[in-house]
Amino acid sequence: KSSENVSCCEAIIHAASYHGSLYSRPFIESFEETPMLVAVLTYMGYGILTIFGYLRDFLRHWKIERCHIAREKEEQKDFVPLYQDFENFYTRNLYMRIRDNWNRPICSVPGAKMDLMERASHDYNWTFEYTGRVVQDVINLGSYNYLGFAENTGPCADSAAEVTMKYGVGIASTRQEIGNLDRHEEMEKLVAKFLGVESAMAFGMGFATNSMNIPALAGKGCLILSDELNHASLVLGARLSGSTIRVFKHNNMQSLEKLLKEAIVHGQPRTHRPWKKILIVVEGIYSMEGSIVRLPEVIALKKRYRAYLYLDEAHSIGALGPRGRGVVDYFGLDPCDVDVMMGTFTKSFGAAGGYIAGKRLIEYLRSHSHSAVYATSMSPPVVEQIITSMKCIMGEDGTTIGCDRVRQLAENTVYFRKRLREMGFIIYGNNDSPVVPMMLYMPAKIGAFGREMLKRNIGVVVVGFPATPIIESRARFCISAAHTNDMLDRVNTYLLFKRQTIRQSRNQVCLLK
């Protein structure tokens, strides 16, 4: 689409989001439909890869081509298959072609710049060998280091080192036994204060915070209304709960309200009894789309239909809001309107683990959550990293470092998104989201883009099917407060050069014709 059409589209979204005085600020998001020609060519690309995949499987079956895949033992060939051959087709024949773009080992702090260990493959990415060379000063646009707290110098690193000397690294027990430290208690009180809620509880793994706590909050006879683009941890938690799950269109309040009405009117299937509870599950920032939840509208619907709200702020906590306190702070809402607030420490805080916060909720989870009862306590230096970085953001360390980083992240996000749009790239998401997806579409571009960027010392994450729809492959940039304008300009300069080169080659082809 032209820039005029994009602006028009954004204006329509803005107007739709601003009704009813629910929003105190403009809410602008842009999503462009895949052009028909691009969609057709993308499907053709996957079709060609699939045909060649079947041909190579045929050659492997007859031992004409060497087979690297996991197979049944010869003595077990008459057993029920342990490995589902067809399900591994995509991994075997498509993913392997571009596997060098992922799992790259780094050998430094994942800050604004990082060092990568160079590796090479001599068997088409089935195995890798290290060359012994280190690629230094790669601009890091892939880590979720939103506020730049993933660092090995400064107050956070110093505090973590001091605590390690006092408490050690491991606890070797659960919180309910003898693994409950005073630092754990202090951290949870600080998290509750930071979020403006009654109490909070921390867990050692962000993924498990969702997957193990949702089953404790909902069960048989309950209804979970889940956004279609929710993270895998939310999806797994909903499935493990045994609740009925219904999915609404991404960030579509009409779709959500329709499901709420049907749930109230019809009740449970067959019996038509009222649902024990209705739980709406959404994310603050959607990590593949760069979109921000329409939280004021979700809260309005939740209150109207007397449902509960579960908000996953894994990517938004620390990264949104004038005080860095997430999507609730971003919209200027009351934290008490969100029944269950979840977030992770793995991104903005440069640590590990996650939290659940809310009112009259935590004591119940302490005895009913599998993640609380069976999981080993969080490591003391990780806890100290969380405490120190959070105090930094809150200004309790006596400095403005945290506030400056929150402001710098917002400025970097707006600047980078604006430059990409000016250069004509198709990007998704909200103007204020530090997750910036840039569309690539075709499968061949996924591997090529990641490799070419690395040649120029720029590290990016490229994403394709099945993590995204098959015709919506993309590169995902994660902006950090640690990035400087010079770093972002260097990335933009290369992208602009690449775009101009492609246009020139197209023009030359047209002239030849």
Side-chain angles (χ1 to χ4, degrees):
K1 291 182 180 179
S2 66
S3 59
E4 291 82 6
N5 288 340
V6 172
S7 299
C8 180
C9 178
E10 289 179 352
I12 292 170
I13 294 171
H14 165 62
S17 302
Y18 213 78
H19 70 87
S21 300
L22 291 175
Y23 292 81
S24 58
R25 58 186 298 164
F27 186 79
I28 303 173
E29 291 189 343
S30 60
F31 297 93
E32 185 171 330
E33 286 188 16
T34 306
M36 181 59 69
L37 177 60
V38 173
V40 170
L41 292 175
T42 302
Y43 280 122
M44 285 177 61
Y46 277 107
I48 292 169
L49 287 171
T50 302
I51 291 169
F52 274 93
Y54 279 113
L55 175 61
R56 297 188 72 174
D57 277 357
F58 175 79
L59 296 176
R60 291 177 189 129
H61 178 74
W62 293 102
K63 295 182 172 50
I64 299 172
E65 180 180 328
R66 187 178 176 184
C67 185
H68 298 272
I69 61 174
R71 292 178 297 175
E72 308 294 337
K73 294 180 180 179
E74 194 64 31
E75 59 269 24
Q76 294 178 330
K77 63 180 181 180
D78 295 325
F79 289 19
V80 175
L82 179 62
Y83 303 106
Q84 295 299 320
D85 188 59
F86 182 77
E87 291 178 7
N88 291 329
F89 179 87
Y90 180 88
T91 303
R92 218 170 37 241
N93 296 301
L94 282 78
Y95 169 72
M96 278 298 166
R97 292 173 176 267
I98 54 176
R99 192 165 77 104
D100 56 303
N101 283 283
W102 294 281
N103 306 315
R104 289 170 175 157
I106 69 171
C107 51
S108 70
V109 174
K113 290 186 176 182
M114 59 186 176
D115 298 338
L116 290 178
M117 295 176 65
E118 187 181 68
R119 59 184 183 174
S121 177
H122 304 291
D123 54 5
Y124 304 101
N125 294 337
W126 285 99
T127 60
F128 293 99
E129 294 177 359
Y130 295 109
T131 64
R133 177 174 172 264
V134 175
V135 184
Q136 295 183 331
D137 294 330
V138 177
I139 297 175
N140 182 5
L141 285 171
S143 296
Y144 306 131
N145 186 24
Y146 296 130
L147 295 181
F149 282 114
E151 51 194 358
N152 57 0
T153 58
C156 293
D158 294 342
S159 297
E162 185 179 333
V163 164
T164 303
M165 296 303 294
K166 180 179 180 181
Y167 292 94
V169 175
I171 304 298
S173 181
T174 66
R175 292 282 299 274
Q176 289 197 349
E177 294 171 347
I178 57 171
N180 190 31
L181 300 180
D182 55 345
R183 306 306 288 167
H184 291 132
E185 299 279 353
E186 182 183 343
M187 174 185 62
E188 290 178 343
K189 289 177 182 176
L190 186 65
V191 170
K193 181 181 177 182
F194 180 69
L195 297 173
V197 295
E198 188 178 274
S199 56
M201 184 177 181
F203 304 88
M205 181 181 177
F207 191 98
T209 305
N210 278 329
S211 60
M212 293 289 100
N213 283 296
I214 292 178
L217 297 171
K220 190 175 180 181
C222 298
L223 175 65
I224 294 177
L225 301 181
S226 176
D227 189 291
E228 66 179 347
L229 296 183
N230 274 344
H231 190 262
S233 60
L234 293 169
V235 174
L236 178 60
R239 289 176 177 172
L240 290 175
S241 71
S243 304
T244 300
I245 305 169
R246 289 178 187 161
V247 178
F248 61 91
K249 294 178 182 177
H250 175 56
N251 240 353
N252 188 313
M253 296 303 105
Q254 290 77 22
S255 176
L256 175 58
E257 184 168 21
K258 182 182 176 183
L259 290 179
L260 283 166
K261 285 179 178 178
E262 290 175 354
I264 299 296
V265 171
H266 300 295
Q268 298 184 40
R270 292 189 299 275
T271 64
H272 299 292
R273 292 176 180 172
W275 295 99
K276 291 180 180 178
K277 71 178 77 165
I278 299 175
L279 183 66
I280 302 170
V281 180
V282 293
E283 294 186 46
I285 291 178
Y286 291 85
S287 59
M288 284 297 170
E289 306 300 313
S291 55
I292 297 174
V293 65
R294 300 175 186 271
L295 191 59
E297 296 175 66
V298 175
I299 288 176
L301 288 176
K302 165 237 171 186
K303 288 181 177 179
R304 186 182 308 164
Y305 294 97
R306 304 199 176 193
Y308 292 96
L309 175 58
Y310 186 107
L311 175 63
D312 178 346
E313 291 217 72
H315 287 268
S316 55
I317 193 68
L320 283 182
R323 300 176 301 163
R325 305 193 184 190
V327 71
V328 177
D329 185 34
Y330 175 78
F331 287 113
L333 301 172
D334 185 354
C336 295
D337 287 335
V338 180
D339 301 290
V340 186
M341 300 181 76
M342 177 271 171
T344 61
F345 304 119
T346 55
K347 302 169 180 69
S348 294
F349 305 98
Y355 65 82
I356 294 283
K359 289 174 60 179
R360 297 185 296 276
L361 169 73
I362 303 308
E363 292 309 315
Y364 171 81
L365 287 178
R366 287 191 194 280
S367 57
H368 288 79
S369 168
H370 288 86
S371 189
V373 176
Y374 300 109
T376 304
S377 301
M378 293 177 70
S379 176
V382 173
V383 172
E384 192 62 27
Q385 168 76 18
I386 295 165
I387 292 172
T388 310
S389 59
M390 193 169 288
K391 283 183 177 179
C392 238
I393 298 170
M394 297 170 73
E396 291 189 3
D397 62 337
T399 70
T400 61
I401 293 173
C403 294
D404 292 342
R405 292 191 184 194
V406 170
R407 186 182 67 254
Q408 188 62 52
L409 174 62
E411 291 175 2
N412 286 353
T413 297
V414 172
Y415 176 76
F416 191 71
R417 281 181 169 272
K418 181 182 177 184
R419 293 287 291 123
L420 287 181
R421 280 207 180 91
E422 287 173 351
M423 290 188 290
F425 289 102
I426 299 173
I427 60 174
Y428 276 7
N430 193 284
N431 283 0
D432 296 321
S433 170
V435 178
V436 187
M438 188 184 81
M439 305 311 293
L440 300 176
Y441 296 115
M442 299 179 193
K445 287 185 179 180
I446 301 173
F449 185 83
R451 292 174 192 132
E452 289 299 316
M453 292 293 276
L454 186 58
K455 285 180 184 177
R456 288 150 181 84
N457 269 34
I458 302 169
V460 300
V461 172
V462 286
V463 191
F465 179 82
T468 67
I470 196 167
I471 58 172
E472 292 185 8
S473 299
R474 64 197 68 179
R476 185 183 64 178
F477 303 110
C478 291
I479 307 303
S480 170
H483 290 138
T484 63
N485 278 357
D486 289 340
M487 293 179 191
L488 299 178
D489 285 339
R490 181 179 164 189
V491 176
N492 287 325
T493 300
Y494 168 65
L495 291 173
L496 180 60
F497 171 75
K498 195 71 178 173
R499 187 173 181 82
Q500 289 173 344
T501 304
I502 293 170
R503 282 180 174 173
Q504 288 173 1
S505 63
R506 284 177 180 171
N507 291 337
Q508 289 172 357
V509 171
C510 291
L511 288 171
L512 289 171
K513 287 182 178 178

